[in-house]
Amino acid sequence: MAGCRLSSGTGRVLFAFFAAMAEAERENIRETTLEGLNTAARKGNHGGRPPVITDDMLHPVMRRRANGESVEDIRPDLIIPTGKRKGRNPSPASIYRALIEYENVRPTPKPLTKPTPTLPRSSRAPDATERSGFPGQPYPHDF
């Protein structure tokens, strides 16, 4: 492109045209990628590595840990079923990570509390909206 400077009017128009084409191509790539991911998800395929510690492996690990065994004692009995390290033993870090993830995903039970009895309207203190007269406005002494 001899003779076409970016500082000239023609150069700015040409640069804007190429920028618009690149932006349109990038958007097309993004849409196609998202369509492919959605199609794969509908078929049940999800990207990423398969998990090293499966649910079938995790439950015996938790049972043995509850009996007082260390992760180092449990690790030789575990075999990775799929992936790049298939047939090998998982690392202790993988076992600890799986145990932590299980604890974070498992729903925690709600504490058992007695329901607090509601007082009759005349004997309970008014809330902020009842005291100020304006909804959402706090009572001056609530600060």
Side-chain angles (χ1 to χ4, degrees):
M1 293 187 29
C4 183
R5 295 188 330 245
L6 291 179
S7 60
S8 68
T10 308
R12 284 193 298 262
V13 169
L14 190 59
F15 186 75
F17 172 75
F18 286 138
M21 292 299 294
E23 186 178 348
E25 182 62 24
R26 182 68 214 137
E27 186 62 29
N28 186 26
I29 291 170
R30 181 179 181 278
E31 289 175 2
T32 306
T33 302
L34 289 176
E35 286 175 11
L37 290 173
N38 288 335
T39 302
R42 281 194 303 268
K43 292 179 181 178
N45 299 330
H46 299 283
R49 272 191 183 173
V52 172
I53 307 291
T54 62
D55 289 338
D56 296 337
M57 294 166 66
L58 187 61
H59 294 294
V61 169
M62 291 186 333
R63 187 173 357 101
R64 290 175 67 178
R65 288 282 293 164
N67 290 336
E69 290 186 61
S70 71
V71 169
E72 288 296 330
D73 294 337
I74 299 169
R75 189 177 80 84
D77 298 334
L78 302 175
I79 306 291
I80 299 173
T82 60
K84 185 170 79 172
R85 297 188 63 217
K86 180 179 179 178
R88 295 171 65 187
N89 298 333
S91 68
S94 295
I95 298 171
Y96 283 120
R97 190 179 315 113
L99 290 170
I100 290 170
E101 286 175 3
Y102 178 78
E103 288 296 321
N104 290 340
V105 170
R106 188 178 66 177
T108 57
K110 293 182 181 177
L112 298 175
T113 59
K114 293 181 182 179
T116 57
T118 56
L119 299 174
R121 190 154 180 86
S122 61
S123 64
R124 69 178 176 81
D127 66 358
T129 57
E130 293 172 345
R131 288 184 279 187
S132 68
F134 298 100
Q137 294 294 320
Y139 190 67
H141 299 292
D142 288 343
F143 293 114

